Amino acid sequence: PAEAELLLEVVPDDKPLFFVLVPEALFGDGGVEPLTGAKEALQALSREWAIVYVTTRERDSPVRLRAWLAGRGMPVGPVLMARASPPGGTLRDLLQNLHLTSWKSRMWGISAAGKDASALAFAGVRSILLCAVAGLEVDERTVYHAHDWSEARKKVEGSR
């Protein structure tokens, strides 16, 4: 599929992937400034990890979103679009089309929405639910919880 080919063109398949569901995981509920520690965590992780931004918002475009993220000091990375519902394809569809089971390196992802964190986990991505309350609509055996970006960064960096 086109998504998998695009990702392989941009990111070597032996580089670890870190998926960020935007804008919620970065900016909370409608915020304009990044959540505390988000920019620093992503800048630190981007030294080793390929940061891949994913949005499910219909009004976002990869070009505008990439410029918006750069304007807020976020590391450069591919921006992928998944739709909240068909016919454009859901997040689960997008992740399946990436053929992540054949990826040679580690994968983590972060989201502020339980359904998105679960979709990441379903695709084989170690998933973090940010600012989560235990028991919130996710399988706690496959989705990790982090209260903030600092805690999320520690989980990822400690996963070697």
Side-chain angles (χ1 to χ4, degrees), residues 120-159:
L120 287 165
F122 183 80
V125 177
R126 295 175 86 180
S127 179
I128 298 171
L129 182 56
L130 188 61
C131 303
V133 176
L136 199 90
E137 71 183 72
V138 297
D139 182 346
E140 294 181 28
R141 295 169 296 175
T142 59
V143 176
Y144 299 87
H145 292 197
H147 293 93
D148 57 30
W149 271 90
S150 176
E151 186 179 346
R153 176 181 169 188
K154 287 176 187 170
K155 285 183 189 302
V156 174
E157 289 179 335
S159 69

Side-chain angles (χ1 to χ4, degrees), residues 76-111:
V76 173
V79 175
L80 302 178
M81 302 289 296
R83 299 297 176 215
S85 61
T90 64
L91 175 59
R92 197 173 273 206
D93 295 333
L94 172 70
L95 294 169
Q96 182 179 2
N97 288 340
L98 291 176
H99 297 287
L100 295 175
T101 54
S102 63
W103 202 261
K104 295 177 184 170
S105 193
R106 297 167 289 154
M107 298 176 289
W108 276 88
I110 190 166
S111 174

Side-chain angles (χ1 to χ4, degrees), residues 1 14 21 27 36 38 41 46 55-57 73 81-82 88 91 93 108-109 117-118 136-137 146 152 154-155:
D14 60 345
L21 275 289
F27 298 95
T36 302
S46 71
T55 183
T56 59
R57 295 189 330 174
M81 302 289 296
L91 175 59
D93 295 333
W108 276 88
S118 294
L136 199 90
E137 71 183 72
K154 287 176 187 170
K155 285 183 189 302

Side-chain angles (χ1 to χ4, degrees), residues 37-50:
K39 181 168 72 171
E40 296 79 10
L42 285 176
Q43 288 172 341
L45 290 172
S46 71
R47 292 183 197 110
E48 179 182 352
W49 297 73

